[in-house]
Amino acid sequence: MTSTAQALPPMPKPQLSPESQMMARHWDEMTSRKRLYSAGGLLVLLLAMGGSIWFANDSNSGKFFDRLPHLFDFFIDMQPRDWLEPWRALFDLVSPYDDGSLKYDYPAGRVYLTSTLYAPEYFYKMLETLNIAILSTLVGFGFAFVFCFAAAKNLAISPWLRFCVRRLMEVLRAFPEIVIAGFFLAVFSLGPIPAIIAVSIHTVGALGKMFFEVVENADMRPDEGLRAVGGSWIERVWFGIVPQIMPNFMSYFLLRLEINVRASTILGAVGAGGIGEQLRLSISRGHEAKTIAIIFLLFCTIVAVDQFSAWLRKRLVGAQAFQFGH
């Protein structure tokens, strides 16, 4: 070996063909355009957020920024006298601080099933909210199931029928549940009936749209085979389309059930019964332990419904659909 190594000559830069150069230029142009669009979108988003904050402050008589430092005062004020009180409120147990007022008289809300056996008030009200959500989802599912086949382009009997059904479902989901419930509260007075009607109406419109989109993406080869052997429209739908779309239908049904549990809680706060009404009353009266107990019960119920929905969806669709790579 020599004491000094000779420097290797630099490798020549590979020459690109004209086609490759054109592709490289096109790639650079696309990258620059994407960066420009991203920067422009971010700027528009920042301007929209700034305008929204300014509008909120102006609409709130200039108090938005003044009250912002007090954002967590509500949570500080909601601290109970001791941390066993929410459990006593949740299970309607006697409180050592009972002074005869509603704030600590938890046993007053007991719902007696027999002379000695009782259901805690908030569990009973939560069951009422779940009943509203389940019944409303079932009613909405039934009507949406019927409407979706008439609204789908690949199965509609008449273009006019498809147009009318689609417009009807748009009207049904155009108004939030709380607006519909407000109207029926004026008609039927306070109670769960207006909540059931309101949630059912909105569910028909929401599920109907998702259902007919699933139907339009269905494989039409079974329908063609049934049509070739003289099958009626109902037979083609029932035997050719329904078996392949039912897993998706049930998945959307369970998703809507979770949404309707939350909607039923909100409607309870405006007089439609259930746990939402108790939450509104406890917050407005400053009953800290009751408020924490209700929020905890709501959280556990939503988690339980979500887990049950996931389990049932897996049973319907099949566990292999949830495995990685399938």
Side-chain angles (χ1 to χ4, degrees):
M1 296 180 61
T2 59
S3 58
T4 59
Q6 295 182 351
L8 295 175
M11 295 293 294
K13 186 177 180 180
Q15 297 294 326
L16 298 177
S17 64
E19 293 80 5
S20 299
Q21 293 177 5
M22 183 179 64
M23 291 179 62
R25 287 195 302 268
H26 184 60
W27 174 263
D28 293 338
E29 291 174 359
M30 291 179 61
T31 304
S32 301
R33 190 181 300 115
K34 183 178 179 180
R35 291 174 180 172
L36 179 63
Y37 289 162
S38 300
L42 181 61
L43 179 61
V44 171
L45 178 62
L46 292 175
L47 291 175
M49 290 181 60
S52 299
I53 294 174
W54 173 84
F55 178 77
N57 184 65
D58 187 62
S59 301
N60 205 43
S61 302
K63 299 294 184 180
F64 180 79
F65 293 107
D66 295 339
R67 301 299 301 173
L68 202 58
H70 304 280
L71 180 64
F72 297 100
D73 287 358
F74 172 79
F75 301 99
I76 296 174
D77 295 338
M78 278 291 112
Q79 290 185 7
R81 197 162 181 173
D82 72 61
W83 285 102
L84 289 177
E85 283 298 286
W87 296 104
R88 299 186 184 109
L90 184 62
F91 294 100
D92 290 346
L93 303 177
V94 177
S95 171
Y97 309 108
D98 188 3
D99 54 3
S101 65
L102 288 174
K103 186 172 184 178
Y104 296 108
D105 189 10
Y106 307 135
R110 293 176 177 177
V111 180
Y112 282 92
L113 307 177
T114 65
S115 58
T116 56
L117 181 64
Y118 73 89
E121 178 184 16
Y122 297 146
F123 284 90
Y124 184 83
K125 292 295 184 179
M126 191 71 242
L127 183 62
E128 183 178 335
T129 297
L130 287 173
N131 283 335
I132 293 173
I134 293 171
L135 178 58
S136 303
T137 309
L138 288 173
V139 172
F141 178 87
F143 281 98
F145 183 86
V146 174
F147 289 160
C148 71
F149 299 109
K153 291 181 180 179
N154 53 344
L155 289 176
I157 302 173
S158 166
W160 286 106
L161 178 62
R162 183 179 74 245
F163 176 84
C164 293
V165 171
R166 288 196 178 192
R167 300 295 82 76
L168 174 62
M169 290 191 293
E170 288 172 2
V171 171
L172 294 180
R173 67 173 180 271
F175 301 97
E177 294 95 333
I178 194 169
V179 175
I180 305 173
F183 170 77
F184 285 103
L185 281 169
V187 177
F188 296 104
S189 187
L190 301 178
I193 298 299
I196 293 173
I197 297 174
V199 178
S200 298
I201 288 175
H202 196 272
T203 301
V204 173
L207 282 183
K209 176 178 174 56
M210 291 187 287
F211 282 3
F212 81 70
E213 289 177 350
V214 172
V215 173
E216 289 181 341
N217 290 317
D219 186 0
M220 296 304 295
R221 285 176 293 182
D223 177 77
E224 294 173 1
L226 289 168
R227 183 185 300 178
V229 298
S232 65
W233 184 85
I234 295 178
E235 291 172 338
R236 287 158 41 208
V237 169
W238 188 252
F239 296 106
I241 304 299
V242 170
Q244 57 177 309
I245 62 176
M246 277 307 294
N248 285 332
F249 275 23
M250 294 306 301
S251 181
Y252 284 132
F253 168 81
L254 295 171
L255 173 63
R256 194 67 207 181
L257 177 61
E258 298 174 22
I259 296 172
N260 286 347
V261 171
R262 301 177 183 91
S264 301
T265 303
I266 295 171
L267 294 182
V270 296
I275 195 67
E277 184 177 7
Q278 300 302 315
L279 179 61
R280 178 182 62 84
L281 291 174
S282 64
I283 292 177
S284 62
R285 293 170 178 172
H287 295 176
E288 302 91 351
K290 291 183 176 181
T291 301
I292 294 173
I294 294 172
I295 292 175
F296 177 76
L297 181 59
L298 276 171
F299 173 77
C300 293
T301 303
I302 294 298
V303 172
V305 171
D306 179 73
Q307 293 301 312
F308 173 76
S309 299
W311 173 82
L312 187 57
R313 190 180 300 116
K314 186 178 292 185
R315 294 287 300 228
L316 292 171
V317 179
Q320 68 278 2
F322 296 86
Q323 296 176 359
F324 181 76
H326 286 76

